[in-house]
Amino acid sequence: MASNQLIAFLVLVVTLLLQYNKNTFVEAQLSVNYYSSKNYYSSSCPNFPRIVRMTISSAVLSEPRMGASILRLFYLDCFVNGCDASILLDDTSTFTGEQNAASNHNSARGFNVIDKIKTRVERACPGIVSCADILAMAARDSVVMLGGPSWAVPLGRRDSRTASQAAANSSIPLPSSSLSELITSFHNAGFTTREMVALSGAHTIGQAQCRNYRERIYNDAKIDRAFAISRQRTCPIISGSGDGNLSPLDSLSPLVFDNSYFRNLVSQRGLLHSDQELFNGGSTDSIVREYSQNLLSFRSDFAAAMVKMSLLNPLTGGDGVVRTPSCGRIN
């Protein structure tokens, strides 16, 4: 091997080892028992899981749509520079955060529920539990409340000191995304194509605004005609008219976390263009068909992908803060 090639090879090996060690170190600082006992970075807060569970249960029972909103809030947070609660920071006269990014403006919701959890947690354990961990737990419990799978949530994240609207605008896939754009976006975040399809199954709950599916129901060729007509009744063809009107992402069982989203795609009844791209003669058709026929396979893959998402670039130790007393402002 030539000397230049050898040097390049050694540089690559060292880089990979450093990245591996960094990831291993970060994950070692996270633990499902992080608040159960005192450790170097925190004191205990044993009632934290119960507080989240009870607050989410009340919120979802009061408004079932809230479960999907909390899950989406977690996704919007993690896809922008990692799971650091940056999505929760409010805009001020001197600070522009992520809440008014193109994908989030008049769309992201559930902040009041996270605030309620934070208030109750602060009352029980002042200054101990991060907003990032609250959001991660709340997302899991929201899925469970709607009949979805559970998973162990690694804890010990810290909160960011800032946010990036520019990163939000560039990182979040659009409802008009093609399959190749979706694959690239998720691959850039570290997900396989199969994990991307599994995570897209979150659209088995929740709703979308007319502005995000108008183009599909009037202009897409691969759409069930009866389905398109039914959605046109609540979404006028004229842009600006009824833009905020809502339709369920899953027309079969919008309030139950199951695999009917994938059955809709097989029937060309995906609401968003980006949804239907997953089953449109491309490389993900076989995965969609598998999930449409095998609920257990989808549940298992979704839970595993959510754990992986929760580990996207978390801040740990002294790299972040625990925002207090609220999640919307830096200390």
Side-chain angles (χ1 to χ4, degrees):
M1 181 179 291
S3 59
N4 289 342
Q5 291 177 312
L6 178 60
I7 292 173
F9 175 74
L10 291 174
V11 169
L12 175 61
V13 170
V14 170
T15 301
L16 291 175
L17 286 174
L18 287 174
Q19 185 62 46
Y20 173 79
N21 288 336
K22 177 185 175 183
N23 292 342
T24 301
F25 177 69
V26 168
E27 291 184 27
Q29 288 183 265
L30 301 182
S31 166
V32 295
N33 299 314
Y34 186 83
Y35 296 109
S36 298
S37 59
K38 292 183 178 180
N39 60 56
Y40 182 79
Y41 292 109
S42 77
S43 299
S44 63
C45 189
N47 288 330
F48 165 55
R50 181 177 179 275
I51 292 170
V52 176
R53 184 171 61 253
M54 296 298 290
T55 308
I56 289 295
S57 296
S58 176
V60 174
L61 286 173
S62 176
E63 182 190 1
R65 180 190 170 201
M66 187 55 70
S69 297
I70 297 296
L71 176 58
R72 181 167 182 262
L73 206 56
F74 179 60
Y75 158 77
L76 293 174
D77 181 45
C78 293
F79 247 66
V80 182
N81 298 324
C83 306
D84 58 4
S86 58
I87 184 67
L88 303 180
L89 287 173
D90 299 324
D91 287 357
T92 69
S93 58
T94 59
F95 171 79
T96 300
E98 299 164 14
Q99 294 181 14
N100 286 304
S103 58
N104 306 340
H105 182 63
N106 290 330
S107 172
R109 60 194 301 272
F111 300 100
N112 59 321
V113 176
I114 302 302
D115 286 343
K116 186 175 293 186
I117 296 172
K118 180 63 172 176
T119 297
R120 292 173 176 175
V121 169
E122 284 296 307
R123 193 177 300 138
C125 324
I128 293 175
V129 181
S130 69
C131 298
D133 278 348
I134 288 174
L135 188 51
M137 286 285 281
R140 191 276 307 274
D141 289 351
S142 294
V143 170
V144 172
M145 272 295 296
L146 295 174
S150 184
W151 57 90
V153 180
L155 300 169
R157 298 166 194 79
R158 311 285 273 187
D159 300 324
S160 67
R161 296 178 175 87
T162 188
S164 174
Q165 186 174 112
N169 283 329
S170 63
S171 301
I172 306 298
L174 299 174
S176 59
S177 296
S178 66
L179 178 59
S180 63
E181 289 170 336
L182 290 171
I183 291 174
T184 297
S185 180
F186 277 80
H187 280 194
N188 288 343
F191 294 103
T192 66
T193 299
R194 185 178 182 88
E195 289 168 338
M196 180 269 289
V197 177
L199 289 170
S200 298
H203 283 184
T204 193
I205 53 176
Q207 303 182 61
Q209 296 179 355
C210 167
R211 74 181 87 240
N212 291 322
Y213 63 85
R214 176 184 283 116
E215 186 70 19
R216 168 158 167 74
I217 62 174
Y218 285 102
N219 297 317
D220 273 12
K222 293 188 177 181
I223 185 170
D224 179 82
R225 183 59 180 163
F227 173 74
I229 292 173
S230 70
R231 292 295 165 260
Q232 289 170 8
R233 296 191 186 106
T234 56
C235 186
I237 192 172
I238 302 173
S239 180
S241 176
D243 280 1
N245 292 351
L246 297 170
S247 284
L249 289 159
D250 174 359
S251 58
L252 292 175
S253 52
L255 299 179
V256 179
F257 197 99
D258 56 18
N259 62 340
S260 58
Y261 164 79
F262 297 105
R263 288 187 277 130
N264 282 325
L265 299 186
V266 173
S267 302
Q268 295 190 336
R269 288 172 169 254
L271 182 63
L272 304 179
H273 177 83
S274 57
D275 287 331
Q276 196 59 56
E277 282 289 282
L278 300 180
F279 192 85
N280 200 20
S283 60
T284 55
D285 281 15
S286 60
I287 306 173
V288 170
R289 194 176 294 279
E290 176 191 343
Y291 288 158
S292 73
Q293 298 170 350
N294 191 330
L295 175 60
L296 292 180
S297 178
F298 165 54
R299 287 171 63 93
S300 175
D301 285 357
F302 181 83
M306 285 298 293
V307 172
K308 184 172 180 176
M309 179 178 286
S310 75
L311 296 174
L312 289 180
N313 301 318
L315 299 174
T316 58
D319 290 336
V321 298
V322 173
R323 290 185 210 141
T324 182
S326 68
C327 292
R329 291 186 295 177
I330 299 299
N331 301 356

